Amino acid sequence: MPAPATGGSQAVTLPPPPPRPTGRRHEWTLRAAARPARLLGPDGPESQLWTYAEAPLPVLRASRGDSILARLDNALPEHTAIHWHGVRVPNAMDGVPWVTQPPVLPGESFTYAFTPPDPGTFFLHPHCNETGQVGRGMAAVLVVEGDEPEPSHADLVLACKDWRLDAAGQWLPFLTPQGAGRAGTFGTLRTVNAQRAYAATIPAHGDIRLRLLNLDSTRLIMPLVRGAEAVVLAVDGVAVPPFPLGAWRLGPAMRLDLLLRAPAAGAVVEVLDQFPREPFPLARLEAVASPLASPLAPRPFAPRGLYAPEIPRPDLHRAERLSFRFTAALGGGSMGAGLPPGDPFAALLLDALCAAGGSLWAINASVWPAGEHARLPPPLAELVAGRSYVFQLENLTPHPHPIHLHGHSVRVLSQSRQENPPHWADTVLLLPREKAEIAFVAAPGNWMFHCHVLEHLETGMMGWFRVRPR
Ligand code: C2O
Ligand code: CU
């Protein structure tokens, strides 16, 4: 059942706290390199991951107002870049090869410099050969703190990602014609924080913040908390008036921040994915006697919510309306379907570096060309900075598509098949045949606009829009 929409009209988020430049500066080095890891277990075989740090899926933390200098050193055998998913960075820091910067070639470096304008839960990933690079582990979590009126007692990241490995720890093809032409190719191993069975302890009776990220290329997740009261605090990093977690679906790239009240010491909270028929355990959180000076006592659970970020509010009366139809490419759908499973020619064709697997999908009948972004197609739309827009999105396919706009947080005005409370997002899930409306104030630059099922964006369901300065 869809989550009941709770009174979005009465409930309000807390206004933003006064801006407070912290003067803090983070200098991070993210070395993209091949590193072995035993994802299949401590006694299992090694797999060759590509990661940004020694451990896969590292978590970077900063605060709102901090300045970030992140140097990418590329020690991979192919070019890469860093896209800061969901962060409203200046366009030149958006990390899309050929669109916002030259690709960072093997042996080269590039420094990203920005001050994240909004607190929240974000992530980063490359924007070329995404199935291959993200598939091998190229992703990291970015937490921007500074939205809690009172600090939680624990803050846990749950980064969900599947891996396509055979029993010997070797990679299986990341892009398959069968998967690309349908809902995507699923992993063979599910993990949270790159662990098969993620467990942690939490302080008894504490308020626990969970930052849940769907970093998978394909999978939809519907989180469920058993053994504790829980509310949603933020969607895609943006504060919402707290509402009970119902049937929220997280497509690839979507995030949800939860607050739960830990039970008494000894009790266990389970976080599950209730999307599959057999719910899948994401995390086992055991409450332990609080190590705090004055242990917490049982008390009513009444979350205050988070400070809201300062996102420009679209003017819905004056907004220009544009519509975008997400479809199969004309005559393209047969490509995957026509090839027998495991066809070696198809695999060769599709798994080549940065080579998209042909044209299976389209946005407004325009297909992102196979190959490099170097051959930039015309923009899907031309906007003007500072003006308000409503995008009407329509999924004309039988598969879900999480649609992501770079550089903006958008107000989700309506969703025809999901009853979600009002919220902002950077990635909007369109269920099969679903329509949605989103609104935002355009920021200057060239911004990508695509489905975040990685096989879909690599087979056509990607475009960009230009926002001219006023
Ligand atoms: Cu996380 Cu262009 O996407
Ligand atoms: Cu898609």
Side-chain angles (χ1 to χ4, degrees), residues 42-349:
D43 305 320
E46 271 187 350
S47 308
Q48 283 302 317
L49 273 62
W50 289 359
T51 60
Y52 288 112
E54 286 314 315
L57 309 181
V59 177
L60 306 168
R61 281 187 187 260
S63 270
R64 175 173 170 269
D66 292 358
S67 59
I68 291 176
L69 280 179
R71 195 181 80 209
L72 166 67
D73 289 342
N74 184 8
L76 298 176
E78 63 187 55
H79 74 74
T80 189
I82 296 179
H83 169 55
W84 305 84
H85 183 114
V87 185
R88 295 187 302 125
V89 292
N91 193 239
M93 297 291 118
D94 198 46
V96 184
W98 288 292
V99 177
T100 66
Q101 67 169 97
V104 184
L105 301 177
E108 284 186 356
S109 295
F110 185 91
T111 299
Y112 297 87
F114 60 92
T115 297
D118 310 314
T121 304
F122 306 101
F123 72 109
L124 39 142
H125 64 83
H127 224 283
C128 185
N129 182 20
E130 292 198 47
T131 53
Q133 293 195 6
V134 178
R136 287 178 175 83
M138 293 282 283
V141 175
L142 173 66
V143 171
V144 182
E145 295 170 348
D147 54 5
E148 296 186 349
E150 47 214 18
S152 48
H153 299 106
D155 182 327
L156 300 178
V157 167
L158 302 180
C160 305
K161 172 169 167 42
D162 299 16
W163 308 82
R164 286 194 37 80
L165 290 169
D166 66 15
Q170 302 294 309
W171 298 116
L172 295 165
F174 296 110
L175 197 157
T176 67
Q178 295 71 32
R182 300 192 177 89
T185 307
F186 287 83
T188 56
L189 170 70
R190 287 193 76 167
T191 64
V192 170
N193 300 339
Q195 296 172 39
R196 293 179 76 150
Y198 178 76
T201 57
I202 52 177
H205 306 301
D207 285 328
I208 315 302
R209 182 162 181 176
L210 291 186
R211 300 174 186 267
L212 207 59
L213 299 98
N214 184 352
L215 301 190
D216 194 47
S217 313
T218 306
R219 171 181 298 286
L220 256 55
I221 296 173
M222 202 191 285
L224 170 72
V225 173
R226 263 193 209 146
E229 287 179 274
V231 293
V232 176
L233 287 182
V235 175
D236 284 358
V238 184
V240 289
F243 63 85
L245 174 61
W248 199 281
R249 294 168 188 81
L250 287 178
M254 296 167 74
R255 292 92 64 212
L256 208 57
D257 284 35
L258 306 179
L259 191 75
L260 63 85
R261 170 60 60 77
V268 167
V269 179
E270 280 183 297
V271 186
L272 302 152
D273 172 14
Q274 57 171 325
F275 196 75
R277 198 168 321 207
E278 182 68 36
F280 178 85
L282 297 171
R284 183 181 188 280
L285 309 175
E286 187 185 348
V288 295
S290 168
L292 305 172
S294 47
L296 299 161
R299 64 210 177 286
F301 182 54
R304 279 182 68 191
L306 303 173
Y307 290 126
E310 293 165 288
I311 302 169
R313 313 255 140 186
D315 176 344
L316 297 181
H317 299 291
R318 292 209 190 144
E320 184 183 337
R321 303 176 85 84
L322 299 168
S323 53
F324 298 91
R325 293 151 58 91
F326 299 83
T327 64
L330 220 61
S334 59
M335 179 191 171
L339 291 163
D343 180 291
F345 174 69
L348 199 73
L349 189 76

Side-chain angles (χ1 to χ4, degrees), residues 83-86 94-96 123-127 130 252-253 255 373 404-406 426-427 448-452 454 457 462:
H83 169 55
W84 305 84
H85 183 114
D94 198 46
V96 184
F123 72 109
L124 39 142
H125 64 83
H127 224 283
E130 292 198 47
R255 292 92 64 212
H373 295 190
H404 173 47
L405 273 90
H406 283 212
D426 53 59
T427 308
M448 303 303 288
F449 180 43
H450 61 84
C451 176
H452 223 288
L454 301 185
L457 75 85
M462 181 153 72

Side-chain angles (χ1 to χ4, degrees), residues 400-402 451 453 456 461:
H401 301 288
C451 176
V453 170
H456 291 173
M461 201 177 273

